[in-house]
């Protein structure tokens, strides 16, 4: 067995370092710029509170999918829902976002049921915060049944509403999501979509048409931000994957306008959330090490091991009691060489998330 990767400690300097560029952008946009750091603590003027309340710290099970799906073994590493959820509760997580409802059938001699998973949640003091499932009209009521059995308040997907670059397709997606969002609301749930970087790329909505009659250039409107204007805020909500939002900042910053000129527009994840913070009840707290030579500009790491400034992000968007942060790292599983890696990463990431602090009067 190889030695597990050891994430870097989330030092006080790294914890409190804020991006001057992002702060300047917030100020220029007319939003309050909060001071990060704790200079007044020594004067006894402020009290320290967790930036992400303990009850709102979660994990999406995709990060530990290798252990959820593992067959029973004698390694001592938890496997299946009962053992893995117990370990996550022991670490400190309070919320679970699902990425499927199956485990290895050899554990029970059959597949586990949603009702049995709910009992495991309850036994461990855990709450189901949401899910990444397929969102379509044909199976939506069935998915709502499962969500209610598990006690969820949110139901969502890990996919963008559409992968298209054209307005008409985003309009059609908004019509569907508004309809499904109304159905979810009737049953006490919020419907949400989770972004990848492509959702913050630019629409093709201007300029000459191609052979199929489609626009080939852009007005500079970003796809998901256009969707914000078409999706009904009463019924459709969003889960920002913070890592992919910063990848979008790295990748999607130029477009060709209607006259063929290259234009620049720097995407800012914080400025996307702040004007509509109530539409983002959920976030994926996924970290990345800045690697400008890589296609995405970042490489995924355990939370606290990378360069994304979660202190500034969660402080600036405000409403700490409303927002839920689920740790995710797509690359956490260590495979047969290091089967305990994903749970080890879950532990260090929880610790670093819990150390984020805000100071109030």
């Amino acid at each position: 067995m190889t030695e597990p990767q050891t994430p870097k400690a989330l030092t006080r300097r790294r914890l409190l370092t804020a991006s001057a560029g992002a702060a300047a952008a917030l100020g220029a946009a007319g939003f309050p710029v909060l001071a990060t750091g704790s200079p007044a603590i020594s004067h006894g003027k402020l009290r320290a509170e967790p930036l992400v309340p303990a009850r709102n710290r979660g994990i999406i099970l995709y990060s530990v999918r290798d252990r959820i799906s593992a067959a029973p073994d004698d390694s001592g590493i938890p496997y299946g829902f009962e053992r893995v959820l117990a370990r996550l509760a022991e670490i400190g997580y309070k919320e679970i976002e699902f990425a499927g409802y199956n485990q290895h059938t050899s554990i029970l001699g059959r597949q586990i049921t949603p009702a049995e998973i709910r009992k495991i949640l309850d036994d461990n003091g855990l709450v189901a915060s949401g899910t990444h499932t397929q969102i379509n009209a044909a199976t939506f009521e069935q998915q709502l049944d499962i969500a209610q059995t598990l006690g969820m308040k949110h139901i969502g997907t890990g996919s963008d509403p559409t992968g298209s670059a054209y307005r008409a397709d985003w309009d059609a997606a908004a019509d569907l999501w508004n309809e499904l969002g109304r159905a979810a609301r009737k049953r006490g749930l919020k419907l949400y979509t989770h972004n990848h970087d492509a959702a913050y790329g630019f629409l093709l909505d201007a300029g000459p048409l191609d052979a199929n009659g489609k626009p080939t250039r852009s007005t500079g409107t970003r796809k998901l931000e256009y969707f914000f204007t078409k999706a009904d805020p009463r019924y459709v909500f969003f889960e920002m994957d913070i890592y992919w939002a910063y990848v979008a900042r790295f990748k999607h910053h130029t477009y060709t306008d209607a006259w063929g000129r290259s234009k620049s527009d720097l995407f800012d994840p914080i400025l996307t959330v702040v004007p509509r913070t109530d539409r983002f009840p959920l976030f994926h707290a996924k970290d990345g090490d800045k690697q400008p030579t890589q296609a995405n500009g970042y490489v995924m790491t355990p939370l606290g091991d990378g360069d994304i400034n979660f202190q500034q992000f969660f402080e600036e968007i405000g409403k700490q009691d409303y927002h839920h942060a689920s740790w995710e790292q797509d690359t956490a599983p260590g495979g047969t060489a290091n089967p305990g890696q994903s749970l080890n990463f879950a532990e260090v990431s929880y610790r670093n998330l819990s150390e984020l602090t805000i100071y109030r009067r």
Side-chain angles (χ1 to χ4, degrees), residues 227-249:
F227 188 73
F228 292 156
T229 69
K230 296 297 180 177
D232 193 317
R234 296 172 295 176
Y235 308 129
V236 181
F237 298 85
F238 302 90
E239 175 182 66
M240 176 177 277
D241 185 305
I242 300 171
Y243 171 89
W244 288 116
Y246 279 93
V247 170
R249 180 180 175 88

Side-chain angles (χ1 to χ4, degrees), residues 53-76:
R55 63 184 176 278
N56 291 357
R57 297 176 205 148
I59 179 173
I60 181 167
L61 294 183
Y62 186 71
S63 302
V64 293
R65 61 193 181 277
D66 57 325
R67 300 315 304 169
I68 292 290
S69 63
D73 59 43
D74 58 2
S75 68

Side-chain angles (χ1 to χ4, degrees), residues 77-114:
I77 302 169
Y79 59 84
F81 280 108
E82 183 174 12
R83 291 166 178 81
V84 172
L85 294 187
R87 175 60 185 141
L88 294 174
E90 183 180 54
I91 288 170
Y93 288 102
K94 297 298 184 185
E95 296 190 327
I96 300 296
E97 186 178 20
F98 285 83
Y101 309 114
N102 293 335
Q103 64 180 14
H104 204 281
T105 54
S106 65
I107 296 174
L108 296 176
R110 57 173 172 79
Q111 193 49 258
I112 195 169
T113 67

Side-chain angles (χ1 to χ4, degrees), residues 6-69:
T6 303
K8 296 180 287 190
L10 189 62
T11 65
R12 178 64 53 182
R13 180 184 64 80
R14 295 180 67 234
L15 181 68
L16 298 177
T17 299
S19 165
L26 283 162
F31 297 115
V33 179
L34 304 179
T36 54
S38 55
I41 292 299
S42 61
H43 298 94
K45 295 179 180 178
L46 304 179
R47 67 181 188 276
E49 295 179 359
L51 184 53
V52 179
R55 63 184 176 278
N56 291 357
R57 297 176 205 148
I59 179 173
I60 181 167
L61 294 183
Y62 186 71
S63 302
V64 293
R65 61 193 181 277
D66 57 325
R67 300 315 304 169
I68 292 290
S69 63

Side-chain angles (χ1 to χ4, degrees), residues 250-266:
F250 174 81
K251 290 174 64 175
H252 305 297
H253 51 79
T254 57
Y255 64 93
T256 302
D257 74 6
W259 295 273
R261 299 172 300 195
S262 180
K263 297 285 188 177
S264 295
D265 181 73
L266 189 62

Side-chain angles (χ1 to χ4, degrees), residues 239-312:
E239 175 182 66
M240 176 177 277
D241 185 305
I242 300 171
Y243 171 89
W244 288 116
Y246 279 93
V247 170
R249 180 180 175 88
F250 174 81
K251 290 174 64 175
H252 305 297
H253 51 79
T254 57
Y255 64 93
T256 302
D257 74 6
W259 295 273
R261 299 172 300 195
S262 180
K263 297 285 188 177
S264 295
D265 181 73
L266 189 62
F267 176 68
D268 193 304
I270 294 174
L271 289 177
T272 295
V273 175
V274 168
R276 53 184 72 85
T277 191
D278 287 344
R279 299 195 75 178
F280 285 87
L282 306 173
F283 294 87
H284 273 185
K286 181 189 300 179
D287 206 351
D289 184 29
K290 193 174 290 185
Q291 298 282 347
T293 60
Q294 299 293 317
N296 287 329
Y298 292 85
V299 174
M300 294 179 194
T301 68
L303 195 148
D305 195 17
D307 296 307
I308 294 176
N309 194 326
F310 293 99
Q311 172 71 30
Q312 184 188 45

Side-chain angles (χ1 to χ4, degrees), residues 333-347:
T336 57
N338 189 3
Q341 178 172 278
S342 61
L343 286 172
N344 290 338
F345 283 3
E347 183 173 7

